[in-house]
Amino acid sequence: MNKIKKYSLFTIAFFASCILFGQADPSFSMIPNPANRNVVIQLNGMTSENKKIELYSVLGTRVNLAGNIQISPNSFVIKTESLPEGVYLLRIKGNAFDQTRRLKIQH
């Protein structure tokens, strides 16, 4: 019986934290995906300041984005027309934030 009470309290606390913090957690979205010429990365709940953007092929090779990225306060635009078709992993890192998403490039 004791375990059930502890589990119930933990469950309630877990769901309460999801409700309180789930919407405010920083995230990003990519539009369009699959991308052809450009992909817009919209930052939700954060700004582009002090963010590190990394793009990797599925084989783990880091793709150089120099000259292919435009930065705005709440978004990035990556020019994908010069990148080969395929699946990539886009990683954005910041203070207490580290997320990776799959990006498909299709010309």
Side-chain angles (χ1 to χ4, degrees), residues 24-56:
D25 286 346
S27 65
F28 68 94
S29 57
M30 297 181 290
I31 302 170
N33 191 7
N36 184 5
R37 296 181 183 197
N38 295 313
V39 63
V40 177
I41 295 103
Q42 184 67 41
L43 304 173
N44 305 315
M46 62 180 162
T47 63
S48 62
E49 297 172 4
N50 299 321
K51 301 294 177 268
K52 184 175 182 180
I53 301 175
E54 299 170 329
L55 186 65
Y56 295 93

Side-chain angles (χ1 to χ4, degrees), residues 24-97:
D25 286 346
S27 65
F28 68 94
S29 57
M30 297 181 290
I31 302 170
N33 191 7
N36 184 5
R37 296 181 183 197
N38 295 313
V39 63
V40 177
I41 295 103
Q42 184 67 41
L43 304 173
N44 305 315
M46 62 180 162
T47 63
S48 62
E49 297 172 4
N50 299 321
K51 301 294 177 268
K52 184 175 182 180
I53 301 175
E54 299 170 329
L55 186 65
Y56 295 93
S57 71
V58 290
L59 299 176
T61 306
R62 187 170 180 196
V63 177
N64 186 3
L65 292 176
N68 290 332
I69 191 164
Q70 299 171 347
I71 301 173
S72 300
N74 293 321
S75 65
F76 299 96
V77 177
I78 298 175
K79 297 177 187 174
T80 59
E81 57 194 8
S82 64
L83 297 174
E85 285 189 349
V87 177
Y88 294 83
L89 298 173
L90 181 72
R91 182 179 187 189
I92 299 180
K93 292 170 43 175
N95 298 340
F97 178 81

Side-chain angles (χ1 to χ4, degrees), residues 93-107:
K93 292 170 43 175
N95 298 340
F97 178 81
D98 189 352
Q99 287 190 8
T100 303
R101 301 266 170 82
R102 186 178 75 97
L103 170 64
K104 184 175 183 179
I105 298 177
Q106 187 174 7
H107 301 291

